[in-house]
Structure formats: structure tokens, C-alpha cells
Amino acid sequence: SQKIEQNSEALNIQEGKTATLTCNYTNYSPAYLQWYRQDPGRGPVFLLLIRENEKEKRKERLKVTFDTTLKQSLFHITASQPADSATYLCALRGGFKTIFGAGTRLFVKA
Amino acid sequence: EAGVAQSPRYKIIEKRQSVAFWCNPISGHATLYWYQQILGQGPKLLIQFQNNGVVDDSQLPKDRFSAERLKGVDSTLKIQPAKLEDSAVYLCASSSSTSGSAPRGGEQYFGPGTRLTVT
């Protein structure tokens, strides 16, 4: 069955450093990979989308890579800030179907 | 642009009771999704509508859950009767993906969710 794995352990980093979150998947060939941010008590917010034929995508301090051979995406936040503290979800989209990972909690300490 | 609206925000019911949630998507978005998110897990798709037709309801427990999207705009999700394991946040999302042969990236816009507690 299709499976998405994100680090279940929280990631703690110091302000100003680069945070790197990992999303691995199996038994799936997504056309798109999406990253969302979710704050406590709120719905997920769309951040970035990368297509299967793209290697890298950037938006401001965010960078996403997509390796369809390794079946892995990396999500980077450069110059991290305490306001970046949240849960980050990756989602795979193939056809009309989207499946979400469980997310990784990020804590950025001042 | 107004976001996805959901109500109520919180609901507490006893097991075997019924409950209904309402969602109004972003204007013009053809696709509407209902997700269940249990604490510590990612959103799990319950049902996906394209306009007022069902695209995917493979994970909807149809013996107790039902959903409709009349007129292709707002939608309701109902649980009857509720069980303890239905305690979760119910998220509604919408996207502007078309139903053509080449679906777009499908980025979704979520509402704030309804937190359901079944006692």
C-alpha cells in the first residue's frame, strides 16, 4: 500500500540555522509533491508544490527538492525564525488523489 | 478573497448521537474535500467532490458517515451514530483543480476545522 514517512520526532534548531525536513514515500508515483504548514488548532496552509519533472523549487526562504529515484523530498527553511515553529506536512498527488504524511514538528529556538 | 468557512468550530456529543458539519469553499473552487485528522496524524481523506459529484469516497465509513454537496457549492458531512473513535478534527478544503484529463497541482485551501469530541 502507499506509504508516506516523515520524521516523527520533533526537530529542534537554533534561530538563524537551516531546518531540513524529510519526506519519503513508497508504492506511489506522484505527479506532484506539496508541502503544507499547520499551526495548532488551525487547518494546513499550502506552501509549495513541485512537479515530478522538477528537481528543485524555491520561494523566499523555502526550498524543496524532489528525487523520484530515491522517492524522497527535502524541505529546507533557511535563516529560520521562531515564527517558523509549526508542523510541516508533505502530501503526494497523483491523478486526482492526494495523500498526506503525518507531519514533522519544528521548533526554532531564539 | 474569503477563505474556506466551517462551522461549528467545536462540538461535544455522546456516543450514538448524530452530528453535522458545514463547509463553504472558496468561491469558484470546483473541488471540495472532507478530511479527518486524528491527533498526531496527517489528514485522511474521507470524501472528494468535483462540483456536486463524488470523485472519491473510498475511505468514508458509509455505514455511519454521509456527505452531500448540493448545487456544487457548500457541503455538509454527517455522522450517525457517532463512536468514540470518531473524535478528531474534521477539515474541509477546496481547490480549483479541473476534472479534465490533466489534473493540476491541486494545492488545497483548508478551513479551520471542527474539533469533535465523542464521550
Side-chain angles (χ1 to χ4, degrees):
Chain A
S1 62
Q2 300 157 348
K3 193 173 179 183
I4 303 176
E5 289 183 352
Q6 295 187 255
N7 289 352
S8 58
E9 290 184 15
L11 179 63
N12 291 280
I13 64 167
Q14 200 67 33
E15 182 177 12
K17 301 292 186 183
T18 296
T20 299
L21 286 69
T22 305
C23 176
N24 295 296
Y25 61 94
T26 57
N27 298 324
Y28 203 54
S29 295
Y32 304 90
L33 190 145
Q34 305 166 352
W35 282 90
Y36 291 80
R37 169 185 173 139
Q38 187 171 26
D39 291 284
R42 296 179 178 267
V45 174
F46 172 77
L47 295 175
L48 274 175
L49 174 154
I50 187 166
R51 293 173 173 77
E52 61 178 336
N53 60 353
E54 296 177 318
K55 297 291 186 187
E56 183 179 298
K57 199 79 167 282
R58 292 174 185 262
K59 179 182 176 182
E60 298 172 350
R61 294 186 296 113
L62 308 180
K63 185 179 87 171
V64 172
T65 63
F66 192 11
D67 189 325
T68 55
T69 302
L70 291 178
K71 294 188 181 294
Q72 181 182 78
S73 175
L74 299 179
F75 178 79
H76 306 273
I77 305 176
T78 58
S80 59
Q81 305 165 0
D84 295 326
S85 298
T87 296
Y88 291 86
L89 304 165
C90 75
L92 307 179
R93 181 166 175 89
F96 297 98
K97 198 177 200 73
T98 303
I99 54 175
F100 282 83
T104 298
R105 291 198 70 182
L106 172 66
F107 294 99
V108 181
K109 294 187 290 185
Chain B
E1 170 181 85
V4 175
Q6 288 189 250
S7 68
R9 290 297 313 278
Y10 306 92
K11 190 75 176 177
I12 301 174
I13 61 172
E14 295 181 352
K15 59 183 179 184
R16 291 187 289 274
Q17 286 187 324
S18 63
V19 64
F21 312 125
W22 174 83
C23 172
N24 186 249
I26 291 173
S27 177
H29 278 192
T31 310
L32 185 149
Y33 313 79
W34 282 104
Y35 289 91
Q36 179 192 61
Q37 187 174 27
I38 293 171
L39 190 64
Q41 299 182 19
K44 171 189 162 187
L45 181 69
L46 293 175
I47 189 165
Q48 177 179 338
F49 292 95
Q50 183 74 25
N51 296 308
N52 60 349
V54 175
V55 172
D56 184 355
D57 64 356
S58 57
Q59 297 190 94
L60 186 74
K62 298 180 185 63
D63 58 333
R64 298 185 300 107
F65 286 64
S66 64
E68 60 182 10
R69 190 183 185 198
L70 299 176
K71 300 181 182 178
V73 182
D74 47 349
S75 174
T76 56
L77 175 71
K78 296 179 182 177
I79 307 175
Q80 181 179 11
K83 292 186 175 181
L84 296 177
E85 60 259 36
D86 297 332
S87 294
V89 174
Y90 290 84
L91 294 163
C92 178
S94 69
S95 71
S96 61
S97 298
T98 67
S99 59
S101 59
R104 298 191 301 191
E107 52 268 32
Q108 298 176 31
Y109 298 86
F110 285 81
T114 297
R115 181 175 297 277
L116 174 67
T117 302
V118 182
T119 63

